[in-house]
C-alpha cells in the first residue's frame, strides 16, 4: 500500500468492519465460550480431567489451521491476479455458516462428526480472516490503517458481546442435562454471521484489476508462479519477514488463550456460571476498548512500538492467569481479603481482554504498512499462513503439554511464546519496510 492511498468512503470502512462484527459470533460461541466447553465436557466427556477431550479439541483446531496454512497463500495469489477477493470471501462465509449450523445434529459421544464439522467450519472462518484483511490496504493511507484495523476489531468484540450474551441468556449452561437447548448454539452462531455480514458484501469494493491468463496457462499454475516470484524476492522484505516470525509466536499464544481460556476457567479455576458470564462480558468490553484505543495510539507513536506494548501487556495477563490461586491466597494473608480464585481470575480477564484486541489489530495494521499495492491478498495470505501455522503449533503444543502435565501448568507455555514474539520483532525498522513496499509497487 501507499501513504498516498485516499481514505475510503465511511460506509465502505463500516462495511469492511462489519465482517469482524459478524464473524466474532463464530469465534466466541463455537471456539471460546460454549462449543469448546461442550465438546470436551459433554460430547467427549472423559471426566474428571478431560485430557482426551482437550487433546481431540486441540487436534481438530490444529488440522483446520494446517489446511489454511496450505491454502491461504495460493488463494491470495489467485485473488490478486483475477481480482476475485470478494468472491472468495463470499464462498468462505457461506461454508462457515453451513458447517456451523450442522453442529446442531451432533449427539453426545459423536466426537468424530463433531471434529469433522469443527475442522470444516473453522477452516472456512479462519481463511476468511485472511480474505477480509486483504482489503485493509484499499481503505486508506498508511497512517490510517491503525485506527481502521482497530475499528474493525473493536466492532468485532461488540458483535461477539451481543451474540454471546443473547446465546447465554436463552441457551443456558453447558451441561448434558441442558443439551437439547445448548445444541442450538451452532445454528444461532451461523444465523448471526449470515445476517450481520450482509453490509460487507453490499458496500465493500474489490479494487483489483483482473488479468487475462496467458494461452495454455491455468489459474493454479499462475498462482504458483506468482508465489515463486514473490518468494524469490522475499529478501527485499526483511522487515516483513521479521514481523511474520514475531506474529507466529504471538498468535500461537493468542490462539491458545482463545481456545482454552474458558476451558481453563471451568477445569482449573472451577468458576460458577455467573462468573463465567461476567468474565465473557469483561473480556469483550476490554478487548473492544483495547483495539480501538491502541489503534488510535498507533497513528501517533508508530505501529512497531504499539505492537510491542500490546505484547508486553500479554506477559502480565499470562502471569495473572497462571498465578490466580496464589494471588487469591496472598490477598487473604496480606490484606485479610477473602477473595475466591474465580474472582481474582476476572482481573486476569481484564488484562487478557485489553491485550487480545489490541495485539491482533496492531499486527494486522503493521502487515498492511509493509504490504505493496497489487499484492495485498498474496501478502495477507502469508500473514494468514503465519498465524494459522502458529495456531497449529500452539494447539498441538498445549494439547500435548496439558496431556503430560495438566492444563494449570501447561498455560505457562504461552509466556514463553510472547517473550519470543517481543525478541523477534525488535530488529524491525518500520520506515524502511514501508519504503520497500512503495518501491515494489513502482517496479511492478
Amino acid at each position: 500500500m501507499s501513504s498516498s492511498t485516499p481514505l475510503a468512503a465511511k460506509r465502505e470502512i463500516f462495511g469492511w468492519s462489519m465482517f469482524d462484527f459478524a464473524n466474532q459470533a463464530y469465534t466466541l460461541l463455537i471456539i471460546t465460550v460454549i462449543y469448546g466447553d461442550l465438546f470436551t465436557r459433554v460430547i467427549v466427556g472423559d471426566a474428571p480431567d478431560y485430557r482426551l477431550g482437550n487433546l481431540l479439541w486441540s487436534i481438530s483446531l490444529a488440522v483446520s489451521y494446517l489446511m489454511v496454512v496450505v491454502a491461504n497463500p495460493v488463494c491470495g495469489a489467485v485473488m490478486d491476479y483475477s481480482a476475485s477477493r470478494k468472491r472468495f470471501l463470499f464462498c468462505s462465509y457461506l461454508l462457515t455458516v453451513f458447517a456451523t449450523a450442522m453442529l446442531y445434529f451432533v449427539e453426545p459421544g459423536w466426537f468424530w462428526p463433531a471434529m469433522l464439522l469443527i475442522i470444516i467450519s473453522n477452516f472456512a472462518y479462519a481463511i476468511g480472516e485472511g480474505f477480509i484483511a486483504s482489503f485493509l490496504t484499499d481503505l486508506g493511507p498508511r497512517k490510517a490503517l491503525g485506527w481502521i484495523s482497530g475499528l474493525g476489531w473493536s466492532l468485532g468484540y461488540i458483535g461477539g458481546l451481543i451474540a454471546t450474551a443473547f446465546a447465554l441468556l436463552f441457551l443456558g449452561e453447558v451441561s448434558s442435562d441442558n443439551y437439547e437447548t445448548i445444541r442450538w448454539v451452532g445454528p444461532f452462531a451461523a444465523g448471526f454471521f449470515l445476517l450481520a455480514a450482509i453490509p460487507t458484501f453490499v458496500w465493500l469494493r474489490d479494487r483489483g484489476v483482473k488479468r487475462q491468463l496467458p494461452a495454455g496457462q491455468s489459474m493454479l499454475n499462475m498462482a504458483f508462479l506468482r508465489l515463486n516470484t514473490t518468494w524469490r524476492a522475499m529478501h527485499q522484505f526483511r522487515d516483513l519477514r521479521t514481523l511474520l516470525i514475531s506474529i507466529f509466536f504471538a498468535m500461537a499464544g493468542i490462539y491458545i488463550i482463545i481456545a482454552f481460556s474458558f476451558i481453563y476457567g471451568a477445569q482449573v479455576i472451577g468458576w460458577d456460571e455467573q462468573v463465567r458470564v461476567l468474565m465473557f462480558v469483561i473480556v469483550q468490553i476490554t478487548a473492544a476498548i483495547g483495539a480501538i484505543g491502541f489503534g488510535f495510539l498507533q497513528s501517533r507513536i508508530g505501529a512497531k512500538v504499539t505492537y510491542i506494548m500490546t505484547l508486553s501487556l500479554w506477559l502480565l495477563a499470562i502471569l495473572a492467569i497462571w498465578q490466580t490461586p496464589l494471588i487469591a491466597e496472598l490477598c487473604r494473608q496480606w490484606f485479610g481479603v477473602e477473595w475466591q480464585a474465580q474472582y481474582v481470575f476476572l482481573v486476569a480477564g481484564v488484562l487478557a481482554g485489553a491485550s487480545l484486541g489490541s495485539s491482533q489489530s496492531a499486527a494486522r495494521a503493521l502487515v498492511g504498512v509493509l504490504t505493496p499495492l497489487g499484492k495485498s491478498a498474496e501478502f495477507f495470505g502469508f500473514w494468514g499462513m503465519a498465524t494459522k501455522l502458529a495456531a497449529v503449533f500452539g494447539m498441538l503444543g498445549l494439547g500435548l503439554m496439558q496431556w503430560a502435565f495438566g492444563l494449570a501448568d501447561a498455560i505457562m507455555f504461552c509466556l514463553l511464546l510472547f517473550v519470543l514474539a517481543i525478541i523477534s520483532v525488535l530488529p524491525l525498522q518500520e520506515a524502511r519496510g514501508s519504503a520497500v513496499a512503495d518501491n515494489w509497487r513502482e517496479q511492478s
Side-chain angles (χ1 to χ4, degrees), residues 278-289:
L278 184 57
M279 172 64 88
F280 163 74
V281 173
I282 287 173
V283 169
Q284 294 307 109
I285 293 174
T286 54
I289 294 172

Side-chain angles (χ1 to χ4, degrees), residues 77-418:
V78 171
M79 288 188 291
D80 279 334
Y81 192 84
S82 59
S84 56
R85 287 180 294 172
K86 202 168 179 179
R87 291 199 298 272
F88 272 73
L89 180 66
F90 188 69
C91 290
S92 71
Y93 152 77
L94 290 183
L95 183 57
T96 306
V97 168
F98 173 76
T100 304
M102 292 296 291
L103 289 171
Y104 172 84
F105 298 102
V106 174
E107 299 288 347
W110 293 12
F111 55 84
W112 291 118
M115 290 176 68
L116 178 62
L117 288 173
I118 287 296
I119 289 170
I120 295 172
S121 64
N122 196 51
F123 163 75
Y125 157 78
I127 203 167
E129 280 189 309
F131 296 165
I132 191 66
S134 69
F135 288 89
L136 177 60
T137 56
D138 295 340
L139 300 179
R142 184 173 292 117
K143 66 178 182 179
L145 296 190
W147 72 259
I148 294 174
S149 179
L151 174 64
W153 231 284
S154 182
L155 280 178
Y157 287 110
I158 294 173
L161 177 62
I162 295 170
T164 311
F166 186 85
L168 291 174
L169 181 63
F170 288 97
L171 300 183
E173 66 178 2
V174 176
S175 68
S176 56
D177 294 337
N178 190 46
Y179 192 79
E180 289 306 311
T181 302
I182 200 69
R183 72 193 305 168
W184 281 96
V185 67
F188 176 79
F192 187 94
F193 191 10
L194 179 68
L195 295 176
I198 290 175
T200 302
F201 298 100
V202 173
W203 288 322
L204 188 63
R205 294 172 53 197
D206 194 341
R207 290 174 173 80
V209 178
K210 185 176 181 180
R211 302 178 178 97
Q212 294 297 321
L213 280 173
Q217 188 73 265
S218 71
M219 187 61 73
L220 187 60
N221 287 339
M222 180 57 65
F224 282 111
L225 284 174
R226 284 176 63 87
L227 287 173
N228 183 55
T229 300
T230 302
W231 188 257
R232 284 189 285 108
M234 191 55 73
H235 65 277
Q236 300 179 34
F237 297 94
R238 54 180 172 176
D239 291 295
L240 180 61
R241 285 186 308 176
T242 296
L243 175 61
L244 292 179
I245 292 171
S246 175
I247 287 176
F248 172 83
F249 290 121
M251 289 306 300
I254 289 172
Y255 275 109
I256 288 172
I257 298 299
I258 290 173
F260 279 93
S261 57
F262 278 70
I263 295 174
Y264 188 94
Q267 296 180 12
V268 178
I269 304 300
W271 56 17
D272 299 329
E273 179 65 18
Q274 63 268 25
V275 176
R276 173 173 169 263
V277 174
L278 184 57
M279 172 64 88
F280 163 74
V281 173
I282 287 173
V283 169
Q284 294 307 109
I285 293 174
T286 54
I289 294 172
I292 195 68
F294 278 97
F296 279 105
L297 184 64
Q298 179 173 320
S299 64
R300 290 165 174 78
I301 66 174
K304 175 186 172 181
V305 175
T306 305
Y307 177 60
I308 292 176
M309 288 175 62
T310 63
L311 296 180
S312 301
L313 194 58
W314 266 119
L315 299 180
L316 295 177
I318 299 300
L319 287 173
I321 291 171
W322 180 49
Q323 292 297 334
T324 289
L326 177 60
I327 294 172
E329 178 61 23
L330 290 177
C331 287
R332 186 189 66 82
Q333 293 180 5
W334 292 353
F335 306 110
V337 179
E338 295 291 340
W339 283 349
Q340 296 180 26
Q342 62 178 340
Y343 296 114
V344 176
F345 195 52
L346 295 176
V347 177
V350 172
L351 294 172
S355 311
L356 185 63
S358 59
S359 57
Q360 295 181 89
S361 175
R364 181 170 67 177
L366 192 49
V367 172
V369 168
L370 304 177
T371 295
L373 281 176
K375 304 282 280 187
S376 59
E378 188 175 331
F379 274 55
F380 272 100
F382 288 127
W383 170 74
M385 181 178 69
T387 58
K388 276 36 180 189
L389 189 60
V392 175
F393 177 74
M395 291 297 100
L396 293 181
L398 188 77
L400 293 173
M401 290 188 70
Q402 68 83 30
W403 177 267
F405 305 111
L407 190 56
D409 291 328
I411 203 70
M412 278 300 291
F413 179 50
C414 293
L415 190 68
L416 174 62
L417 293 172
F418 286 111

